[in-house]
Amino acid sequence: MQSSPTPQPASGRREILTGLGLAAAAPLVLGITARPERPSRPAYPHVPAGPTVLLRAASLVLTMDPALGSGPLSTVENADVLMRNGTIAAVGTGLRPPPGTWIVDASGKLVMPGFVDLHTHLWQAVIRGGCTDGDLFGWFTRCTDPQRGRLTPEALHSFVRLAALDAVQSGVTTLVDWVDIFSYDLIESYVRALAGTGVRFTYAMFPSEADPSLVTKVKRELVDPLPLAGFQVATHAARVVQHLNHAHWEAAQDLGVMLNSHVLERPEQRADDPIGVLTDIGALGPRLLINHAIHLTDDEIAAVAAHDVRAAHCPLSNMRLASGIMRLSEFGRRGVKVGLGLDGGTNDSSDFHALMKTAIGLQRARATEAGIFPQVHEVLRMATLGGAEALGISDRVGSLTPGKRADVVVVDPAALNFAPRFDWVGQTVFNGRPENVDAVFVDGRPLKFDGRLVDIDTDRVVREAETAATRLRAAG
């Protein structure tokens, strides 16, 4: 991606690659085995972070706003996107930027709203790839439970930072982190790590006891002062802890936030009667977010729809843990607001394109029908505006509507896995990978540019996480 007034290198990518090819060929001709020298490249890019940015002449813009384009995703061809003071200022052709605007050449690129990860557990990066032969309960017993008890604030910070940056480089601009870590020093480290990445986030805190004082303290002291942070109260709905669920719901009401609960991820959890519990405590409604929701009955899906309950679908994690396949087509048919979730360690990476493809593929495999919900445009909406609607923040993010916050992703399709152009909307879902995400802006600030995270030494981030993980294992 090129921009001005940022100085441009003397050679573009094509010239550099050509040069490398010639350099590689020369030793073969001469019978020399020495490697060609690689052009020097800074460890990470430094880019302007001023208040006004113009993405100029994007080949395709997915606005998700019916007033700004055509088709199911409201697309516009050869359009500019102007971001000013952290908001979307305008979308159109031939926009005239004010003086001092950072102009970015987006020709040949696709521009769209950032992804909304509706359910994750970032700290679980410490156990990526672990317990691969276990189901949900095996994952708890052998992976999460032993590691959680060993966490230190420093180690936790490194794992959360690693996973959050991985999500950002995949195109995630908003995430909801469901966290069952209890001591204040650990929570403080967690929130500080999230805030340092620049991502928009919601901290969903699971209190282990009915006392709401810690919840209030965390929200008011750690979360509320951060402009990109939100807060939820998290719970595990089950009959045996209904008193705790009720206390969590009361705390959420007192604080004016959503309640966030895991629900029927495994068939064995039917005995917990989570939907019945949530009904009895009065939580069914638009301020309830349920995660997984795989093994719901017809009547339970109908109740969720009737009360405008929101849901997070985590297809990659559900496959990994042999949990089952959410009846997503039924949720869609009834108009339930559903978004997509990476679900932390059991997703193993933060590839949101793989998440979208899997959300489509599992429903087709289950129904043996290609026309079933969701189609490509529907899963892209779920990944962006749909996630924002489920989270109750679609008035701020989720589409490129002027006045909304400038959470924007630029995709570069000029890659071996993506080209040639056939249907960029379909290719975004079925061909896309994190390396195709060329730029990520949150609140108008560039977090990724020219394919790399901005002002982040990724080698150091990885090294610190590796060191922390080694120490935790040694302590066990």
Side-chain angles (χ1 to χ4, degrees):
M1 175 178 287
Q2 294 182 344
S3 62
S4 61
T6 306
Q8 298 300 305
S11 299
R13 287 181 177 176
R14 186 171 299 171
E15 288 76 8
I16 290 173
L17 291 173
T18 302
L20 282 174
L22 292 173
L28 296 178
V29 173
L30 300 173
I32 300 172
T33 58
R35 289 186 177 182
E37 291 186 5
R38 300 179 67 181
S40 61
R41 192 181 193 193
Y44 46 81
H46 294 280
V47 301
T52 307
V53 181
L54 178 69
L55 304 177
R56 172 171 281 169
S59 294
L60 187 66
V61 179
L62 311 182
T63 72
M64 308 289 175
D65 183 339
L68 291 175
S70 60
L73 299 178
S74 304
T75 57
V76 186
E77 294 189 358
N78 302 314
D80 305 334
V81 177
L82 181 65
M83 297 177 275
R84 181 187 298 160
N85 296 323
T87 66
I88 302 293
V91 178
T93 57
L95 297 180
R96 300 186 66 178
T101 297
W102 176 32
I103 299 176
V104 177
D105 180 9
S107 58
K109 308 291 199 306
L110 182 150
V111 176
M112 60 182 290
F115 296 130
V116 177
D117 180 1
L118 203 55
H119 182 66
T120 195
H121 310 274
L122 293 176
W123 76 268
Q124 293 177 1
V126 63
I127 38 182
R128 282 174 167 174
C131 306
T132 54
D133 60 345
D135 61 11
L136 175 67
F137 305 119
W139 170 260
F140 288 157
T141 302
R142 293 188 287 121
C143 270
T144 59
D145 292 348
Q147 294 294 333
R148 188 190 296 106
R150 300 171 188 159
L151 290 171
T152 64
E154 295 75 20
L156 185 62
H157 188 280
S158 67
F159 302 141
V160 172
R161 179 174 170 80
L162 175 82
L165 290 173
D166 186 31
V168 167
Q169 64 89 30
S170 179
V172 172
T173 54
T174 298
L175 59 84
V176 181
D177 203 341
W178 196 107
V179 188
D180 50 354
I181 289 170
F182 310 122
S183 67
Y184 188 84
D185 61 337
L186 289 172
I187 295 170
E188 183 178 27
S189 180
Y190 208 119
V191 173
R192 183 164 49 84
L194 272 168
T197 66
V199 73
R200 192 180 305 278
F201 70 93
T202 294
Y203 189 88
M205 177 183 171
F206 175 75
S208 60
E209 299 177 357
D211 182 4
S213 60
L214 181 60
V215 179
T216 303
K217 180 180 175 67
V218 168
K219 180 180 184 296
R220 292 179 179 172
E221 294 185 2
L222 300 181
V223 176
D224 286 350
L226 302 172
L228 296 180
F231 189 80
Q232 294 176 350
V233 177
T235 198
H236 283 296
R239 284 291 176 197
V240 293
V241 290
Q242 182 170 337
H243 68 289
L244 188 59
N245 303 144
H246 187 268
H248 291 168
W249 173 234
E250 285 190 333
Q253 289 179 293
D254 290 343
L255 296 172
V257 300
M258 295 183 76
L259 184 71
N260 184 326
S261 181
H262 292 91
V263 167
L264 288 170
E265 187 172 356
R266 289 280 305 180
E268 296 90 337
Q269 294 169 323
R270 166 59 53 193
D272 294 336
D273 189 24
I275 296 297
V277 169
L278 293 167
T279 301
D280 290 347
I281 66 175
L284 285 196
R287 287 169 58 187
L288 173 64
L289 173 61
I290 58 175
N291 309 301
H292 304 293
I294 298 171
H295 300 285
L296 272 64
T297 65
D298 289 343
D299 288 344
E300 288 170 335
I301 294 176
V304 164
H307 290 85
D308 195 20
V309 174
R310 310 336 175 45
H313 178 38
C314 309
L316 284 170
S317 170
N318 298 158
M319 287 198 308
R320 163 82 135 79
L321 297 178
S323 295
I325 303 174
M326 181 188 191
R327 297 169 61 192
L328 183 58
S329 58
E330 284 298 303
F331 281 77
R333 185 176 67 82
R334 292 181 178 273
V336 178
K337 294 180 177 66
V338 182
L340 299 177
L342 288 167
D343 199 28
T346 50
N347 196 78
D348 298 301
S349 72
S350 301
D351 189 340
F352 225 83
H353 295 87
L355 192 67
M356 291 189 290
K357 186 196 300 194
T358 306
I360 290 177
L362 282 179
Q363 297 306 307
R364 292 184 180 185
R366 182 174 175 271
T368 63
E369 179 186 340
I372 199 167
F373 177 92
Q375 294 297 298
V376 163
H377 68 278
E378 291 163 327
V379 82
L380 269 167
R381 193 183 188 282
M382 286 172 58
T384 54
L385 183 58
E389 289 173 342
L391 194 51
I393 59 171
S394 60
D395 60 329
R396 285 172 276 164
V397 300
S399 68
L400 303 185
T401 302
K404 286 191 180 183
R405 307 311 299 175
D407 292 4
V408 180
V409 165
V410 181
V411 177
D412 186 357
L416 293 174
N417 66 294
F418 210 110
R421 183 169 183 172
F422 184 80
D423 172 5
W424 271 3
V425 173
Q427 286 167 282
T428 298
V429 172
F430 288 116
N431 295 67
R433 294 199 297 250
E435 56 262 40
N436 301 121
V437 176
D438 195 59
V440 177
F441 294 83
V442 174
D443 237 30
R445 177 191 170 198
L447 302 187
K448 184 179 184 181
F449 189 77
D450 196 23
R452 293 177 294 159
L453 294 173
V454 175
D455 292 340
I456 297 294
D457 185 342
T458 54
D459 289 343
R460 179 178 178 179
V461 171
V462 171
R463 186 168 60 250
E464 289 177 352
E466 292 284 8
T467 299
T470 300
R471 287 174 178 168
L472 284 190
R473 293 189 192 102

